[in-house]
Amino acid sequence: MNFPDLRLRRLRTTETLRNMVRETNLRLDDLIYPLFVIFGRDKKIPVNAMPGIFQFSPDRLGEELAEIKELGIPAVLLFGLPEYKDARGSSAWDDNGPVQEALKRCKDTYPELLAVTDVCMCEYTDHGHCGLLDAQGYVMNDASLELLAREALSHVRAGADIVAPSDMMDGRISEIRRALDEHGFINTPIMAYSAKYASGFYGPFREAAGSAPAFGDRKAYQMDTGNVNEALREVRLDIAEGADMVMVKPALPYLDVIKAVKDTFGYPTAAYNVSGEYAMIKAAAARNWLDEERVVMESLTCIKRAGADMIITYFAKDAARLLRKNG
Ligand code: PBG
């Protein structure tokens, strides 16, 4: 040990020093908290595979929003569970739908809380696919675009600050951009779920959002797990069509994709720490197999270190509490 320069442990000796030289710090402003809004009144229904997560009817959302606000979380991502479903998913643009109702309440009470909405058809179609089907059960691309644009417009009219299309149809960003611009919403940003993989990690979400496909899977529109060059093509196209922010989803198993996207485009990049990633940690922690607080902060810091500017996570409230406790 003749080379004092090589003593890298020197900067690890105290907590203060470690805090001072840390390269990546999770911040409250990085967090987006997903919320499931169900039709009806006086409902707060627990989601089985996601302990701590509930479906709220719009009238019960107040208590949750107050907590989010109090914790200092800057943004929520809204999903809807509508009263009725049909082949076209027409409840998606019902101005009295659960997301639209929630938006009105949210904006009335907490105008500065950013309300992002998930724009997709799978929660609203009776077949559970993310667009319109042809006779063979194939999701038709171009015919689905108009529906997505109607949904996005309905959300923005109800008060959405940002729309986040998650359907993975080609051309949806330009279609939605055009619809918003035509109606004067030129300053409403689009957060594109650009590199969204056909993932087994969405399992618990489909219970939470009631959006499991009635047959087949989503592999004909969501991305194949093995692909990263294709993710860059998806992001490039969405940016060219007018996306203001891009997203990689899921997060932890796809950190290399987050890094490639951030390094290549330098765009505001979101990562979605999805339901299955949440459920795994919750399940292990419930058995005392993992220290939940530690692995939550470790996971979110790793997602940020990979290049995410924003992290959509069911752990947002826990992380906010831990940031306060440790900060
Ligand atoms: C809607 C949508 C899904 C998720 C977000 N938006 C499910 C899917 O594509 O099947 C997954 C989120 C999660 O697992 O937490 N298309």
Side-chain angles (χ1 to χ4, degrees), residues 14-295:
T14 69
E15 170 101 42
T16 314
L17 213 41
R18 289 194 294 272
N19 289 346
M20 195 174 273
V21 300
R22 184 168 302 124
E23 299 170 40
T24 304
N25 286 288
L26 189 70
R27 299 177 313 152
L28 262 180
D29 283 333
D30 304 330
L31 303 171
I32 302 176
Y33 188 57
L35 287 173
F36 299 101
V37 190
I38 188 166
F39 73 94
R41 297 187 55 79
D42 201 25
K43 292 182 187 165
K44 181 179 176 183
I45 305 168
V47 179
N48 236 335
M50 301 174 73
I53 301 296
F54 300 84
Q55 299 164 337
F56 292 94
S57 53
D59 60 319
R60 288 290 296 274
L61 213 51
E63 47 187 296
E64 187 74 354
L65 291 172
E67 191 183 3
I68 291 164
K69 194 69 192 87
E70 198 275 321
L71 286 167
I73 295 168
V76 292
L77 172 61
L78 300 174
F79 293 93
L81 291 97
E83 186 164 15
Y84 61 95
K85 302 191 184 206
D86 57 28
R88 289 168 55 79
S90 57
S91 51
W93 55 85
D94 178 341
D95 291 334
N96 301 311
V99 166
Q100 288 83 349
E101 286 293 322
L103 283 166
K104 286 174 215 151
R105 283 166 198 267
C106 188
K107 292 285 83 177
D108 275 353
T109 329
Y110 303 107
E112 65 300 336
L113 181 70
L114 271 181
V116 189
T117 61
D118 185 90
V119 174
C120 195
M121 303 313 297
C122 61
E123 295 133 64
Y124 304 96
T125 51
D126 50 13
H127 46 74
H129 278 286
C130 302
L132 266 183
L133 298 183
D134 69 11
Q136 283 72 45
Y138 182 78
V139 177
M140 295 186 283
N141 194 85
D142 296 12
S144 301
L145 300 181
E146 187 216 340
L147 312 183
L148 294 160
R150 283 177 80 165
E151 179 183 5
L153 193 56
S154 168
H155 288 175
V156 173
R157 281 187 170 135
D161 297 297
I162 299 176
V163 287
S166 71
D167 52 285
M168 290 300 280
M169 300 302 120
D170 289 323
R172 76 261 165 82
I173 303 301
S174 54
E175 193 76 12
I176 290 171
R177 185 71 271 158
R178 183 168 341 122
L180 296 184
D181 289 353
E182 268 171 16
H183 291 84
F185 298 107
I186 56 166
N187 280 327
T188 304
I190 300 177
M191 174 189 281
Y193 283 74
S194 302
K196 176 175 179 182
Y197 289 84
S199 169
F201 287 99
Y202 307 152
F205 172 92
R206 291 177 185 173
E207 176 206 334
S211 65
F215 64 90
D217 54 38
R218 306 207 196 287
K219 291 181 179 170
Y221 41 104
Q222 298 180 348
M223 284 183 53
D224 190 88
T225 294
N227 298 351
V228 62
N229 292 322
E230 187 192 0
L232 298 180
R233 291 201 290 277
E234 281 284 2
V235 172
R236 184 173 293 116
L237 198 60
D238 283 355
I239 290 174
E241 289 181 30
D244 302 279
M245 303 153 160
V246 296
M247 194 196 301
V248 175
K249 174 182 175 196
L252 285 176
Y254 296 84
L255 292 182
D256 59 318
V257 182
I258 297 172
K259 178 157 172 57
V261 165
K262 186 66 191 181
D263 286 353
T264 306
F265 300 100
Y267 250 62
T269 303
Y272 200 140
N273 179 226
V274 301
S275 56
E277 300 174 60
Y278 178 82
M280 286 194 298
I281 290 179
K282 282 288 182 187
R287 287 162 182 74
N288 283 318
W289 290 351
L290 281 177
D291 175 342
E292 181 172 336
E293 295 192 352
R294 278 193 68 178
V295 296

